[in-house]
Amino acid sequence: MSVPADVVVVGASAAGLATAEALRRKGYQGGLTVLGAEPHLPYDRPPLSKQVLSGAWAPDRARLRPREALSALGAEFLLGDPAVGLDVERRAVHTASGRTLRAGAVVVATGLRPRTLPGQAGLAGVHVLRTLDDALALRADLRADLRDPARLVVVGDGVLGAEIAATACELGAAVTLAGPEPAPLAGRLGPMIAGLLADLHAERGVRLRPGAGVSGLDGHDGRVTGVRLGTGEVLPADVVVVAIGAVPETGWLAGTLIRLENRTNATEQGGLVASCILGDDRPYRPVPYFWTDQFDARIHVHGTPSAGAEPTVVDGDPAERRFVALYHRNATITGVLGWNMPKQARLWRGRIGDAVTGLAPAL
Amino acid sequence: MKVTVDEARCCGAGQCVLLAPEVFDQREDDGIVVLLEAEPAEHLHATVREAAAVCPASAIELSDAG
């Protein structure tokens, strides 16, 4: 495979930037263009539901690289101009402003777009949280003088919904966290960890509505007034965040792509894509990893948790909210979870794939 | 090469330690990055660059030291 003379990366977030940087790191000297739908220089998404929403960080702090580092990359950043079409045969990308970008290789790194509820569009006070502008709009709405405290309903009990609930609660909002699971993240981390998370949220003042199917939104004069549950009950709300997952942002492409998405994958995949472009094909097999901050809990997950089986605590003590637990399946360790024990969790990570037998229950 | 770390950004993932244990460590209590070697030897540069690139919190910055 010959190295292309120029590369267009569609998407200027973590994955797009990682691809551009990896190309240069591996010695690629051809033309490099990074096309971004948003007007912002590449920024990091994990702080959006935490430090940016809370106001602890000014928006600029979420930037992935200082301006000088981006200049040193020797790439042209075309921002605020979404891709609208891809001509595979001509390797050309068409943009909203009417540009046509041709290149020897086109990298698709447009990420995800949030799923929404029916009737959500056009109803003021209803938010998603995917972009920097989304986070700032939610923050402004929570601080607007609607009611004190603002009543926030978070629809969705996954990582993002639980983080938003925690941050908004600390901002002083009256928060209800509603979702289909019996406890936050139960489907992903299992009942024991989810139960500890539920306890934490409840004791900090978040009202939990587990097992809640959401059927729609109520509004008045174009502004949301509540979230309707499948049971007919309405949760009154001044502000609503819908955090019910995301789908690949591939509306501008003819085909469909399937990808793993989280912040670590974004950078690791970027490195891999760069290798492929430069003719070095390697299988993509990283150990999955994510972390979440909720109130004073910092939770790290390496590998694959199995929600079905209870994890085994191997260090620390859940009662002290500082422990490491191992997930296993068919007598093999599949994942490691650290709750306020990051270094210890990382040390256990090497045991993923090992047999459970002979495991010391506590160090 | 000069390495700097931003403790306030660090999430304690430990990906940098997995890649370059000669250069990075983590604090025992909260897992925040500890920089062992601010000017790593040349044979470590490639792995340090990779560590900076895969840091989930973008807490590692590199600059060319003269």
Side-chain angles (χ1 to χ4, degrees):
Chain A
M1 180 177 151
S2 66
V3 172
D6 37 28
V7 176
V8 169
V9 179
V10 186
S13 194
L17 177 65
T19 305
E21 289 184 335
L23 279 166
R24 291 301 190 219
R25 206 163 60 239
K26 291 164 197 281
Y28 179 67
Q29 294 181 339
L32 193 48
T33 303
V34 180
L35 180 69
E38 297 173 56
H40 308 291
L41 287 170
Y43 62 86
D44 209 10
R45 293 190 197 280
L48 298 183
S49 53
K50 303 181 272 274
Q51 295 94 333
V52 173
L53 181 58
S54 76
W57 287 11
D60 279 359
R61 202 116 199 250
R63 237 180 232 170
L64 278 165
R65 301 287 179 270
R67 212 173 264 279
E68 314 81 70
L70 292 176
S71 313
L73 200 53
E76 187 179 11
F77 284 84
L78 302 175
L79 301 173
D81 194 6
V84 292
L86 174 66
D87 183 338
V88 174
E89 216 158 281
R90 294 184 181 175
R91 290 190 188 167
V93 177
H94 302 291
T95 76
S97 76
R99 283 182 177 119
T100 298
L101 307 171
R102 288 197 180 79
V106 174
V107 178
V108 175
T110 37
L112 305 181
R113 85 185 136 74
R115 290 176 59 209
T116 53
L117 289 172
Q120 178 171 341
L123 202 54
V126 185
H127 298 260
V128 292
L129 204 168
R130 174 75 193 163
T131 67
L132 182 59
D133 292 345
D134 290 342
L136 297 176
L138 173 59
R139 178 172 164 77
D141 218 2
L142 285 174
R143 290 158 56 87
D145 221 359
L146 301 161
R147 186 187 299 261
D148 191 23
R151 298 169 305 177
L152 170 70
V153 175
V154 180
V155 179
D157 47 13
V159 172
L160 183 62
E163 286 189 350
I164 293 167
T167 305
C169 182
E170 290 183 318
L171 277 176
V175 181
T176 303
L177 177 58
E181 307 276 2
L185 280 80
R188 192 160 181 185
L189 300 179
M192 176 202 152
I193 303 295
L196 292 171
L197 277 172
D199 292 347
L200 177 63
H201 278 262
E203 91 193 21
R204 297 303 183 96
V206 174
R207 189 170 157 242
L208 294 166
R209 288 305 307 258
V214 169
S215 66
L217 299 163
D218 281 357
H220 181 72
D221 281 347
R223 181 159 187 112
V224 73
T225 56
V227 172
R228 230 175 315 120
L229 303 183
T231 57
E233 188 192 348
V234 175
L235 306 174
D238 306 305
V239 182
V240 172
V241 182
V242 177
I244 52 174
V247 293
E249 181 67 277
T250 48
W252 65 285
L253 295 170
T256 312
L257 297 174
I258 298 166
R259 67 182 70 225
L260 271 172
E261 158 84 14
N262 64 38
R263 178 62 184 75
T264 316
N265 273 297
T267 28
E268 288 181 352
Q269 288 186 82
L272 181 82
V273 167
S275 297
C276 289
I277 288 172
L278 301 177
D280 166 27
D281 267 312
R282 279 184 304 173
Y284 173 59
R285 244 182 278 137
V287 174
Y289 162 80
F290 75 93
W291 95 95
T292 176
D293 295 330
Q294 296 173 35
F295 299 106
D296 55 6
R298 171 163 279 186
I299 299 167
H300 297 258
V301 182
H302 302 270
T304 313
S306 41
E310 286 298 335
T312 305
V313 175
V314 289
D315 196 356
D317 183 356
E320 289 170 16
R321 290 184 170 158
R322 188 171 150 77
F323 65 95
V324 177
L326 300 187
Y327 288 91
H328 34 85
R329 201 173 157 187
N330 302 329
T332 303
I333 298 167
T334 61
V336 180
L337 180 142
W339 185 304
N340 287 337
M341 271 194 130
K343 179 172 183 176
Q344 294 77 3
R346 193 255 307 159
L347 289 168
W348 279 97
R349 171 190 150 125
R351 299 288 297 273
I352 292 172
D354 286 1
V356 177
T357 42
L359 197 64
L363 294 180
Chain B
M1 172 189 281
K2 193 161 166 40
V3 184
T4 50
V5 294
D6 184 340
E7 290 184 7
R9 293 185 86 98
C10 176
C11 69
Q15 307 275 346
C16 56
V17 193
L18 287 163
L19 279 162
E22 306 90 342
V23 180
F24 304 100
D25 197 358
Q26 289 176 277
R27 296 202 295 242
E28 293 292 326
D29 55 341
D30 60 7
I32 298 302
V33 62
V34 176
L35 184 61
L36 302 176
E37 190 51 75
E39 293 183 28
E42 193 153 354
H43 72 277
L44 296 170
H45 288 190
T47 45
V48 171
R49 276 196 195 92
E50 185 156 5
V54 304
C55 173
S58 309
I60 302 169
E61 257 189 60
L62 308 177
S63 59
D64 296 314

